[in-house]
Amino acid sequence: MPRITLRDFAEAMSSRTKLTKSASESTLRAVFELIGTHLYADNYVKIKGLGVFKLLTVRGRESVSVNTGERIEIASHSRISFTPDKALAERINKPFSSFQTVTIDDSSAVASDGLTPTETISEAASPENTPFSDGAVSLSQPSADQSAQPQTAPSVSVPPSSCLLQPAYDAIPVSTAYIGDDEAPETDSADVAQPHASAEEQTSPDTVAVTDQLSPEDASEQSALDSQEDTSEAVSESSDRDAGIQQDGSCEPNIPAPSETIDDTSDDGQEATLSATGRRGWLIVLCIVLAGVCGYLLGYYRVFVPQAASSSPSAQVQKPQATSSPQRPKTGNLSKDTVKRATHADSVRLRMAAAQADSVALEKRKAQLRQESRKYNQMPSATHLIAGTYKVHTMKSGESLIRLSKQIYGSKEMAKYVVFYNGLSNPDVVPVGTKVRFPLLVSKQ
Amino acid sequence: MNNKEFVSALAARLGIAPKEAQKRIDGLVETLATQLEQGNEVAVSGFGTFEVKKRNERVIVNPASGKRMLVPPKLTVNFKESSSLKTRGRANTDND
């Protein structure tokens, strides 16, 4: 990790930008100085292409000194956070860019070992592979819920454009169409890539192996299908297509093929096809419609807040909202309304005035306390002043000064004042029954 | 302050046109990126260091689905401020 100093950097910069070395050096210095100054002035500096520098405050916390082991307090301070620009981050991450987050399939114990896509395709085609053998890591698919595509699961370093994810789409309609199985496609889709590929070979051992995995009644259906001439042709046709897909690496989903070739499958098959994909579509449409309706209602409510202002749309809208519409006539006399009703702006003004009045009173009290505090010993280098006793509290079993100060002052940091005010030698151990005096604290400014 | 303000501030500081300042910033960023790509740390004294850190892959639990997922390793740009910048900051801020 060689270190590049400012000078080397300026050199590199000048060779790249064709500026003189001194120009690039002065630019560098200026840029970073400016970032520093503006960051402290404004808490936020953004440089296009580089990123965002933010100034964050870190809360003070109690901790233990590394050297002495006694309790110390780390004061609250600020730190600079840097978030790189997206382009920059991607550029830096290029060596690792082909990785993706994957779902871990806990059911299998063997971790995948860096199989390349071509290897896995041929493996999938071979009948020996059962879906439950290997492949721990499978690529997460946002569409299907199922996460088990073991024989097509390469290691983490598969390029994202791999088409091995597609079998989920191919699999679902086919499984229902062929096998007429109403079970959740998730469990069977893994199986289905198998009967698919094995069907193309059309050898009885394969189908037997496949049917072993299915329920007995399905097995009879399967063999019934296979025995029919048209369907077997259809099977080979669509499976060829599928095989073609697998070999090409193209990702066209195979959904239309099974439904059009298999006319003589039972109604179950077709219904199941519809329910599997159609149901999902319906759900999405429903969600969009609901969102639209909610947004529309919210919009109306927001925009047409009940007011004295007259307008027929608002009068109409106020009806469902059950506001003061019964009082207001629908026609006429609205412009001549002479009573000054409170508007939203007025209420805001009132609230702000109240807040101001409060803060004025608060400041007065604070100034009073600061005067008072002169009579008392103060903690050196503290943010708050002690101005008398606020409360005397008898310690009960299980109480701690820190928790009490959080209750009373709202902050754990104030505990130190309590300790100082009471002259406690060991703040961690305050015996039950001790009368602890909690001081009245006021901030210094 | 956003990019525009920064550029104009830089231009004012250096006595150059804002366009020229933007060009220089781009050049700076480009050089920085190249250096980082090569794996070098770039240290600006009085400000901080830019370095490339590798984050190892880790197992997380997707809170929505409850599934365990494996996040792949990646390289990130990290900035570490220098202590002089920190102290300069503390002197400037007036937190109570």
Side-chain angles (χ1 to χ4, degrees), chain A residues 388-406:
Chain A
T389 311
Y390 169 69
K391 172 178 169 172
V392 179
H393 175 88
T394 319
M395 295 297 282
K396 296 200 222 12
S397 161
E399 281 185 340
S400 83
L401 285 180
I402 297 180
R403 257 185 282 141
L404 284 170
S405 48
K406 187 135 199 223

Side-chain angles (χ1 to χ4, degrees), chain A residues 112 114-117 120 137-139 150-158 162 164:
Chain A
S112 69
L115 304 165
T116 63
T120 51
V137 175
S138 58
L139 291 163
Q151 71 267 39
T152 58
S155 73
V156 181
S157 56
V158 164
S162 157
L164 298 163

